Amino acid sequence: MATVLVTGASRGLGLEFCKQYAAEGWEVLACCRQPEKADKLAGIANVRLLSLDVADFARIDSLAKEIRETPIDVLINNAGIYGDISGHGFGQLDYAAWAKTLLINTQAPVKMAEAFLPHLQRGKLKRLVTVSSQMASIADNGSGGSILYRTSKAALNAGMKSLSIDLKDLGIGVLILHPGWVKTDMGGPNALIDAELSVSGMRRVIADSTLRDSGSFLKYDGSILPW
């Protein structure tokens, strides 16, 4: 049985990843801050709920030790925050919120890769996947704004691109994925696609990927995005 670990698993894209992988018989390690409140995941076959706040790096390390014997085929860094507070744009930036956004969106996925590297090495598929955003693209930025979110995701992309080179000799493929504008709590009700379509597309990209794709910035439909 293949195993996938998903952060931010209790809602939105993370929840949908868990549902779809579980439905195909994968063992799902569903990580969220309050597993006791993850009602939508409770009772789903093949899903194991694990307590994890990705902002707590000591907890990341302890969880890695707790499941140290578990091979992981696909690790999905999905947990993230928007960060930009209404009314706090340029001229009134909340620098504490910016630091928190960078911690969760940029540093935590790299920390997850460090902590769970041995698990990925023991897996068969060896895929490190990170949910990024088209808003990370510098070339595509024609509207400005959202400084906290944009910078955190652009830095995330740079970090994952470096990891794709650093981990190549270990046979670990690194994918950076844009899920599309999705109807979630973050994406809002006016978004263009639903979570089911987004996740099914991203899962297809993951399944079809080879090491030649490692370090690529891809949309959920497999198309290449500009940096």
Side-chain angles (χ1 to χ4, degrees):
M1 179 185 294
T3 300
V4 60
L5 183 149
V6 183
T7 65
S10 63
R11 60 181 183 173
L13 294 174
L15 174 62
E16 188 63 29
F17 269 120
C18 292
K19 286 181 176 179
Q20 290 193 23
Y21 275 114
E24 291 200 353
W26 285 53
E27 179 183 6
V28 178
L29 305 177
C31 301
C32 54
R33 288 179 295 170
Q34 296 178 301
E36 69 279 3
K37 295 183 179 180
D39 298 335
K40 294 180 180 179
L41 284 172
I44 299 179
N46 303 324
V47 172
R48 179 181 174 189
L49 281 163
L50 299 170
S51 175
L52 178 65
D53 181 346
V54 297
D56 184 347
F57 287 9
R59 174 56 188 157
I60 291 177
D61 284 332
S62 67
L63 179 59
K65 290 179 181 177
E66 287 172 18
I67 61 171
R68 57 183 172 272
E69 302 301 326
T70 304
I72 293 175
D73 293 281
V74 178
L75 189 157
I76 300 177
N77 283 309
N78 167 72
I81 60 174
Y82 184 62
D84 290 271
I85 302 169
S86 178
H88 286 76
F90 182 71
Q92 296 179 310
L93 289 173
D94 185 331
Y95 285 87
W98 195 350
K100 181 179 180 181
T101 305
L102 288 166
L103 174 71
I104 293 173
N105 290 358
T106 309
Q107 295 179 341
V110 176
K111 176 62 180 177
M112 288 290 297
E114 281 192 314
F116 289 93
L117 177 59
H119 307 68
L120 282 168
Q121 287 180 274
R122 290 196 295 272
K124 293 182 179 179
L125 297 180
K126 297 180 172 62
R127 291 293 178 267
L128 173 62
V129 180
T130 296
V131 178
S132 182
S133 170
Q134 189 168 339
M135 291 179 72
S137 172
I138 295 172
D140 185 68
N141 185 358
S143 60
S146 301
I147 289 176
L148 279 62
Y149 187 69
R150 288 186 187 278
T151 55
S152 70
K153 290 296 189 178
L156 169 66
N157 284 10
M160 289 298 151
K161 175 63 178 180
S162 285
L163 286 185
S164 73
I165 298 168
D166 297 340
L167 302 180
K168 183 177 181 180
D169 289 344
L170 298 177
I172 295 174
V174 179
L175 297 174
I176 308 161
L177 302 182
H178 167 52
W181 186 15
V182 189
K183 295 177 182 178
T184 62
D185 289 346
M186 184 182 295
N190 297 321
L192 299 178
I193 62 174
D194 59 26
E196 183 177 359
L197 176 62
S198 172
V199 169
S200 63
M202 288 190 285
R203 288 182 56 241
R204 191 175 304 112
V205 172
I206 295 166
D208 292 344
S209 68
T210 69
L211 283 179
R212 290 191 299 272
D213 302 307
S214 189
S216 298
F217 184 22
L218 304 170
K219 193 175 177 180
Y220 72 96
D221 61 4
S223 58
I224 297 174
L225 289 169
W227 295 107

